[in-house]
Amino acid sequence: AAAVATVTAAGGGTIRVASGSYDEAVVIGSGAIVGLLADGGAAVTWQRTQGVGAPQLRVTGGATVLMDQIDLRTNNSPSDPALRVDGGSLWVDRAVIAQNDGIAVRTEATADVRLRNCFVAGTVDLPALHNTMGSSMTIVYSTIGGGTGASNGILCDAGSDITVSDSIILTRGTEPEVDCTTVTADHTATNVGVMATMTGWFTSYNTGDFHLSASGQTTFDGVAEWNNGDPLVDIDDEPRSGVDMTPEPAGADFIP
């Protein structure tokens, strides 16, 4: 939080985050442009257990934030998302957003969120991703897993839109995996395509570890298609094919 305050006061900058577990609530606003990057692939976990009533990160006030290789877990407030974006933009790459008591990512007030190479897990009776108030989400090569009960993978209100490519979006709940009026999806696996969610497709569905098991590789192989401009690596920094129009497994975990 101290580093963010310094950088925000200067209008923006890049913060390289050392290995460790950080337990604090941070707000980035004032139109700042801020990068939060794990230092050299450091293992970084961002929590929110000391008190309730705030997300790990809120992006607001026209700010733009790029986050790379930082995991968000253990927000103990069911009424607060791990990531809240209202009136700002957030780009998240190679992150795990899981095991939070509330929504993983919520957009408000014409926000813009882009998720690439991410594992995003929901919880019981809540959507994993909630897109509201004319906001937009773009999801590329990511795995979204809704929880049990009345849970969606993605829920939108009227006027919000979702664009999804080369991803996996599932739920174990009773609601649709995607409940959005405006959604554009290609080369993406959903419950409709693969039937009921099988937790055995992944290393640990309940903890948001969506690395593919052997049966998962079989289920999702060839669903995605790599094209120019797609990410060259997966969530583990392992290289993708990098060849135009090559079929690949959908989701954040690339298995050659």
Side-chain angles (χ1 to χ4, degrees):
V4 166
T6 299
V7 166
T8 300
T14 300
I15 299 169
R16 295 194 176 277
V17 187
S19 291
S21 179
Y22 298 81
D23 194 339
E24 52 190 323
V26 173
V27 178
I28 301 178
S30 303
I33 301 174
V34 178
L36 298 169
L37 314 179
D39 188 20
V44 178
T45 301
W46 196 345
Q47 300 177 319
R48 178 59 175 157
T49 66
Q50 298 178 9
V52 296
Q56 285 96 311
L57 173 64
R58 179 185 177 189
V59 182
T60 189
T64 299
V65 177
L66 168 66
M67 184 185 306
D68 189 22
Q69 290 187 299
I70 295 177
D71 294 350
L72 291 99
R73 298 181 182 272
T74 322
N75 188 317
N76 288 343
S77 171
S79 60
D80 292 291
L83 287 171
R84 176 184 175 187
V85 187
D86 55 290
S89 299
L90 175 66
W91 297 56
V92 185
D93 201 359
R94 295 181 292 178
V96 180
I97 310 170
Q99 296 180 295
N100 299 286
D101 287 349
I103 294 165
V105 184
R106 186 173 70 215
T107 60
E108 307 168 28
T110 62
D112 179 38
V113 169
R114 298 173 185 247
L115 304 173
R116 187 176 71 164
N117 282 326
C118 291
F119 293 160
V120 181
T123 189
V124 61
D125 290 335
L126 291 171
L129 302 176
H130 194 191
N131 197 34
T132 76
M133 300 169 62
S135 298
S136 64
M137 285 188 183
T138 302
I139 300 166
V140 179
Y141 273 110
S142 292
T143 307
I144 316 296
T148 56
S151 301
N152 308 97
I154 306 173
L155 175 65
C156 305
D157 69 5
S160 302
D161 66 271
I162 293 278
T163 301
V164 185
S165 61
D166 306 302
S167 296
I168 301 169
I169 305 173
L170 303 173
T171 184
R172 296 184 64 201
T174 57
E175 300 299 309
E177 69 276 21
V178 179
D179 188 354
C180 299
T181 302
T182 306
V183 57
T184 302
D186 68 270
H187 298 101
T188 292
T190 63
N191 288 91
V192 172
V194 298
M195 304 304 289
T197 300
M198 299 290 290
T199 57
W201 291 331
F202 308 99
T203 298
S204 176
Y205 191 99
N206 290 338
T207 64
D209 186 348
F210 295 138
H211 288 95
L212 297 176
S213 65
S215 63
Q217 294 174 39
T218 300
T219 301
F220 301 110
D221 189 28
V223 173
E225 181 184 274
W226 195 94
N227 286 286
N228 187 40
D230 286 338
L232 291 169
V233 297
D234 74 350
I235 191 170
D236 303 310
D237 242 359
E238 296 173 348
R240 297 187 184 274
S241 65
V243 178
D244 232 16
M245 300 182 70
T246 299
E248 292 187 347
D253 183 25
F254 174 66
I255 307 294

